[in-house]
């Protein structure tokens, strides 16, 4: 089964094709260009270099957030356009789930963590079960201090992954001491290969989305929405 997966939720623009568990092609660009400029040329080059036609793809997958409002819409609309034109299924994967798939079989808690600015974070906690990361609590959107208190209560070693891992590294190390572990820097990016792996697990259980239901997942309102509410 061939899956074309995209992650445009962060500053890294990422696209890949996998065939079951084999990665056929994997492109990542973090050059300062906007995703709208990068994504389609990346996909075109990827397909040509892999000798694969778009119609050969069985499932289209993408990150649904949290993340960049504009970036998410670009990735989701691209996947919808491909799926609608070819009558193929789609799968949406939350960014925090994708980040957990960046880590292989850690014997403890995996904390996917994204910097939500002003000392706030988006986070989710996972543990490996049957070789895949399984979420153990609901999504978390609160201060970094609240997350740390939550983790202290669990008294387990924790692997942090995501841009929040770098942003709050000193505070996490000071608070959790020897229980705090940190993913290598290159794994803190949201990666399409992890979106593809997570999508493959959903496909196994026929957990598909539709082009109508595939939408960005926002854990809090945009700045513009919050400002509008303040002024209303």
């Amino acid at each position: 089964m061939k899956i074309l997966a995209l992650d445009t939720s962060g500053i890294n623009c990422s696209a890949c094709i996998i065939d079951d568990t084999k990665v056929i092609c994997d492109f990542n660009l973090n050059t300062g260009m906007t995703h709208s400029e990068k994504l389609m040329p990346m996909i075109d080059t990827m397909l040509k270099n892999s000798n694969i036609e778009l119609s050969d793809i069985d499932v289209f997958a993408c990150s649904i957030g949290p993340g960049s409002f504009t970036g998410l819409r670009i990735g989701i609309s691209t996947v919808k356009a491909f799926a609608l034109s070819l009558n193929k299924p789609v799968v949406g994967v939350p960014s925090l789930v994708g980040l957990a798939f960046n880590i292989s079989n850690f014997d403890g808690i995996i904390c996917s963590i994204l910097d939500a600015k002003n000392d706030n974070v988006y986070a989710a906690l996972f543990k490996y079960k049957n070789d895949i990361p399984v979420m153990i609590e609901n999504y978390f959107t609160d201060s970094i201090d609240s997350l740390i208190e939550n983790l202290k209560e669990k008294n387990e070693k924790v692997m942090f992954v995501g841009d929040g891992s770098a942003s709050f590294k000193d505070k996490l190390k000071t608070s959790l001491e020897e229980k705090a572990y940190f993913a290598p820097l290159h794994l803190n990016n949201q990666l399409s290969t992890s979106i593809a792996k997570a999508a493959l697990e959903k496909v196994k259980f026929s957990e598909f989305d539709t082009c109508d239901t595939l939408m960005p997942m926002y854990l809090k309102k945009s700045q513009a929405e919050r400002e509008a509410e303040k002024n209303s």
Side-chain angles (χ1 to χ4, degrees):
M1 172 176 291
K2 292 184 177 66
I3 298 177
L4 189 154
L6 310 176
D7 196 316
T8 55
S9 62
I11 58 175
N12 183 50
C13 188
S14 184
C16 75
I17 298 172
I18 69 168
D19 192 352
D20 291 327
T21 58
K22 176 185 175 183
V23 178
I24 296 174
C25 193
D26 175 22
F27 274 36
N28 293 279
L29 281 175
N30 186 358
T31 60
M33 295 168 60
T34 65
H35 294 345
S36 60
E37 295 174 288
K38 290 184 284 190
L39 185 59
M40 289 308 296
M42 280 176 61
I43 294 171
D44 184 56
T45 301
M46 186 169 63
L47 291 167
K48 286 177 180 175
N49 288 350
S50 304
N51 293 315
I52 292 173
E53 299 290 333
L54 194 62
S55 57
D56 295 329
I57 301 298
D58 299 297
V59 177
F60 293 97
C62 64
S63 171
I64 58 172
S68 159
F69 282 78
T70 302
L72 288 170
R73 286 185 169 90
I74 290 168
I76 290 171
S77 62
T78 300
V79 159
K80 283 185 175 184
F82 290 159
L84 282 170
S85 65
L86 296 168
N87 194 28
K88 296 292 180 74
V90 294
V91 173
V93 177
S95 308
L96 295 167
V97 173
L99 281 169
F101 273 82
N102 286 9
I103 305 300
S104 298
N105 285 305
F106 180 71
D107 183 21
I109 293 172
I110 297 170
C111 179
S112 298
I113 177 172
L114 293 172
D115 188 347
K117 308 305 179 187
N118 300 315
D119 278 342
N120 291 312
V121 295
Y122 303 123
L125 306 182
F126 301 82
K127 278 193 170 182
Y128 259 88
K129 182 178 180 181
N130 299 324
D131 295 325
I132 62 167
V134 176
M135 192 182 298
I136 60 173
E137 288 186 3
N138 200 6
Y139 295 106
F140 182 95
T141 173
D142 206 333
S143 69
I144 183 63
D145 292 328
S146 294
L147 176 63
I148 288 170
E149 288 306 310
N150 182 314
L151 293 170
K152 279 183 176 179
E153 291 174 4
K154 291 177 172 48
N155 197 31
E156 295 186 56
K157 61 183 181 181
V158 184
M159 173 68 74
F160 294 97
V161 59
D163 64 18
S165 172
S167 299
F168 301 105
K169 186 171 185 177
D170 290 343
K171 178 172 277 196
L172 293 166
K173 285 176 71 174
T174 300
S175 302
L176 299 174
E177 299 177 334
E178 74 280 356
K179 294 191 186 319
Y181 293 75
F182 298 90
L185 287 177
H186 69 284
L187 293 182
N188 285 330
N189 284 328
Q190 291 100 304
L191 302 173
S192 59
T193 47
S194 292
I195 296 299
K197 291 176 199 173
L200 184 61
E201 291 300 319
K202 295 185 77 171
V203 169
K204 288 178 183 177
F205 297 98
S206 299
E207 295 176 3
F208 296 102
D209 294 285
T210 69
C211 288
D212 288 332
T213 61
L214 188 67
M215 301 289 288
M217 184 182 81
Y218 299 130
L219 297 184
K220 70 176 183 181
K221 295 178 180 178
S222 71
Q223 181 67 30
E225 289 173 312
R226 294 196 299 273
E227 289 297 325
E229 287 180 353
K230 256 198 253 180
N231 297 328
S232 62

